[in-house]
Every structure is written in C-alpha cells, then in structure tokens.
Amino acid sequence: MSTPSTAIESVLVENRVFSPSEATVKAARISGMDAYNALCAEAAADFEGFWARLARENVVWSKPFTKTLDESNVPFYKWFDDGELNASANCLDKHMGTPNENKVAVIFEADNGAVTKTTYKELLAKVSQFANALKAHGIQKGDRVLIYMPMTLEGVIAMQACARIGATHSVVFGGFSAKALQERIMDAGAVAVITANFQMRGGKELPLKAIVDEGLDLGGCESIKTVFVFERTATKCNMVAGRDITFTEALAGQSTECAPVMVGAEHPLFILFTSGSTGKPKGVQHATGGFLLWAKLTMDWTFDLKPEDVFWCTADIGWITGHSYVGYGPLAAGATQIIFEGIPTYPNAGRFWQTIERHKCSIFYTAPTAIRSLIKLAEADEKVHPARSDLSSLRILGSVGEPINPEAWMWYYKNVGGERCPIVDTFWQTETGGHMITPLPGATPLVPGSCTLPLPGIMAAIVDEAGQDVPNGSGGMLVVKRPWPSMIRTIWNDPERFKNSYFPAEMGGTYYLAGDGAVRSADRGYFRITGRIDDVLNVSGHRMGTMEIESALVAKTDLVAEAAVVGRPDDMTGEAICAFVVLKRGVPTGDEAKALAKELRDWVAKEIGPIAKPKDIRFGENLPKTRSGKIMRRLLRSLAKGETITQDISTLENPAILGQLGQTY
C-alpha cells in the first residue's frame, strides 16, 4: 500500500515510553495489555454480543432489551431500542439500599472556598424535589428545557431532574451571549429555562438572568413558559411576573419523592449545541441508553474507578465533558466527585493543587490549556507551584478537549503526578458521547502527546479521501468504521446535515468522520491527533466554527464589509483565532486600528460569547482571492502564522494587501 500524495505529513516523533507500574497493573480493572486485547477480540468476534453483555452488566433496565443494534436505516443507528430505563434512576435510585446510599456523591467547593458535601441519598431527595417542581409547571416527558447555570450542584440537579421526568435538556455554557441563547431556545423549541440570578467567578458576580431576559427579548422564544431562577447570590435580579419563579418558591411544598419516568433507550436525553464548519450551531442529539452505558463504563475503564476514589473533572456542565464526566458518569459509577465553581487562578494560581490536597483527590481530569497556563504561572512564582501542595493522594491524571503537547505532558507527569500517576490522554468529541481513543492506566504503555489506542469495541481507523486505510506512519482522516452505543443519533431538526457532516457518501455513507486528522505511529500503531480537517478551530478545548465568527463580524453592518477567519498555532490555547477584516472605509492604522479592533472583539463577544473573541485582528483593503473570487484561506493561514509567503500569488488582484494584512491589532 503506497502512501497517497494527499497524506497529511507527520513530523513529530516521540520516543519516550512510560509503562504502567506493576502495582497499577495488578490493581487495575483492565489489567495489562492481554486483558485489553481480550476485550478487543471479544468485540471483533461478536460485536453485538459484546455490547449486549456490557449493557446488561452496567445499566439498570426497567424493561430489558431484546434487540442490541438496529442497522436498518443507516446512519440512523438504534441501540437497545426496545429496552426501557431512566437515566436519573441509574445515577441515584440504584444506590439506595447499598453502601453508596450514605456515601458522599458531591463535594462542592464554591468560588470563595466554602465546601458543601451531599450524599447520594440527599442528592436523590433534591433531584426528586426539583423534578416535582418542573412537573408542577406543566413540564413533561419529551419537552425540552434549556439550562444556563453556573458550575454549582444546582446545575447537576437541574440536569438530573429533567432526565427523571423524561424531559430533554439542553445546557448552554454560562459564557455564551444572549443571542446564542435565543438561537438555541428557538432551535430546541424549549418550554422552560433554568438559570441563576448571577454566577461567581474569580470573586466577581456576573449576570446570568439578565442575559436570559435579553435573549428572550430578541423575539422568537414564545415557546418559553417558565424561567426558574436559582438565587446564587443575595443580589436581586429582574423577575417577570407570571413567567419567572425562584427556586425557593418553586420547591416550596414539593415532595422529596418522585418516581422516575421510564423512557425508551433511544429517547433523547439531551441536545448539546456545538460549532460546525457552517455558521449555524449543530444540536447534537444523544440517546438515553447508549450514552449512559458508555458514561458509566468509561468511568470504570479509563479512570479505573475504585470505591474509595475522589474524582475531579474540572469541565463546565455546558460542555460534553461536563455531561459525561460530571452530570452522569461519576454518579452512575457511584463515585465521590468534586464540583468546583471557580477558576484555576483565583485567589491564586495554586488553587487547583490546593483543592486536590484539601479533598484528597485521587483522579484529576482537566484540559491542556489549563495545564499550559498553570505551567507558566508556576514557573514564574514558586508559591503557586504544585510542589507547594501535597499531591500524594493522586493516582491517575487525565487530559481532555484538545491534543496535549509532549512538553506539557511531561510537566504534568513530573510536577503534578510525581512520575507515578499514569496520564490518560482522552480523545473524544461532543458527538461521540464519551472516550474513544485513550490509554488504560493499568494496561497501556504511555507515549507523551499520543492518545494511544481505541477502547474495546471502538473501530477507529485512519483513511484517505476515498475511505481507504492508510499505512501506519502516514497521516489521514480519523474515522470510526462501526457504530457504538454513545454516538450522536442525529442533528436536532436536521437529519440531512447529520448525514452529510458525519457519514459522507464518498466514504460509503457508513463511516463516522470525526473531522480530525490523525496519524498512527509506525512502531506501536498508536494514534496521534494532528488537528481539524475542516474550518473548525480548537481554542482551549472549545470548538469554534470559523464561519460562525465570520458571520458575527459581518453582522456588524455599520463597519464590516467582509471578513475571513483562520486559526494559527498558539502556545497557550493550542489554536488562536485570527480575523482578517475589510472595513466599509479605508484601512485604519495606529490608535484608530486598535480602537476598531477592540470594538470588533467586544461585538463578537456579544454575538457569540467571550470565548469566540479573535486574538489577532488584521485590516486590509480587500482579502486575497483567486480569479474566480474564492478567498485564498491557505495564504491567510500562512500570514496568520507569520510565515514568509512562498506560494504563487500571481493570481492575486492586489498583491499590496499582503503588507496590510501582515499587521496585527
């Protein structure tokens, strides 16, 4: 098999290998590579039997399933279709009457350091009470509820309460704007919003309810009947009579018992919106049975969860990581987890390490961007260095959201894990519902910067444009050749877009296309993710569609005539957003250009949210285009990186613009 000419070149070679310690192997659920290979062989020999066994062993069914996988309408796969269950009952009720009943489910640490502990029994009562409040306001099975909450226990209670009554939730990250909220409410046809008056971040009180009001005032949200407001702080917020109700009012007189509503395995548990390569966010729809199975199983496999572990995933519930590894996975696995409201740098940059020490955290799961920013701060100030905290409770470290570079991996391994904790570098996506490619702490030899091997049952491969396998050592596109239980079921209200985005016809229409480039090492066949193959950027682990940011810039109609957005490598965030802008007036310079760049950044923050703000803004009379009028994005990427332009620019109408576009504001 020859290497195709279109192959993505791989330049990074990593020779360091860290094998798991004997003690880790011995104690692990999946112990050594033989145990991993045995599970992979079971999946290969009897694919459906493998998944059926796991679903029976890991999920509590009120009505057992008889059919494992339905492939009659590809790519709209169905798993355990005739089975019935409830996600909240699988996270809470199943622990009643077991030793877990009085175990701490959540250690909540507020922004100001105040700590609250809630047992499984107490959490079930709180979730049931809130579920009854939702029912009292007419919310029922199949309704959509939008959640826009701070990172508090109440956010998880809201998710679990929706699941309990069979309502489908859609969580929106608390950093998104009013307009982003409005679009998601309209697309989901939500009947209620669950929010808070404010959120606390780094000692500051930031509004949430005011943004909900602004979003609803934009129009088109007539489906919303009720807004539930959690009073996170004592500060008053605007309340609309007949629509808005505080948690205190809503919970008054509600019973702490609520029978879970059983739903079919394919019932939508949640919709989570994610950026795509076109402007409109995609509502990724996940099914109850498959998602729950994988969230529970990956807790056991990837993190090798033990009853005594204290698990901490730092992700916000607004992202998929906060769904799988805060809202559902840890609870389904009966773990004690830390939920942290604040930010890693408040009151100082040692907060993460101090929190690990305080709560004797044993499994810590965070994003490379957080690690890279804390390296910088720790190396500049020894007072906040991890060495100042007792991290001896740690057993396993995890990385999520974006590829971790080998230098950051080594620092994390040495300084946080004390060279004794395996790092599980997990590759997965909003669409996959849970981990896909990851080391197993008691089995896989680790290579810095590589997510290593697929989990048993996940048929990952690297192919060329035609869907043909490429040899190890050559780059290509990451695909999954067979369905898996926690996969995306469709894009809400847009099945055609689902098919075209993820199951392209040119690859036969059955391969799931991840949208990431990858390469397998020639020696071990380990996977390494090389970056997106479409117009989607990964900024600090958050997916940003370039089209979405371009559309937001062009919407500033009084200023902007045209805009193009590309990514460039960034030491801290992995990728940075670089916007090339043509104004409806001359090219600005100096202070005027700085002021306009600030105005545009603030505008994007208002349209999408602060996470989408371009880091670089460059102005030009026009954008480099081919004669047929196509924007030369390759050229813009070179400019963004500060590379010398070596490619052919003879087709450019106006080569002088390259000088203009070289200046960053």
Side-chain angles (χ1 to χ4, degrees), residues 209 213 227-229 237-241 243-246 249:
K209 171 65 165 57
D213 288 349
V227 177
F228 297 89
V229 184
C237 65
N238 171 53
M239 296 290 283
V240 175
R243 183 192 76 187
D244 302 351
I245 183 167
T246 65
E249 293 163 341

Side-chain angles (χ1 to χ4, degrees), residues 60 86-98 100-101 105-106 118-128 153 156-157 159-161 163-164 260 292 327-328 330-335 337:
V60 179
N86 178 279
S88 172
N90 267 276
C91 292
L92 301 168
D93 306 53
K94 77 169 183 197
H95 300 301
M96 297 305 116
T98 76
N100 281 350
E101 179 176 82
V106 176
T118 309
T119 65
Y120 273 92
K121 197 171 183 173
E122 290 164 340
L123 187 56
L124 173 61
K126 287 178 188 284
V127 166
S128 299
L153 178 63
V156 172
I157 289 172
M159 292 162 81
Q160 285 280 341
R164 198 161 188 84
L292 196 80
Y328 290 100
L331 299 173
Q337 68 168 323

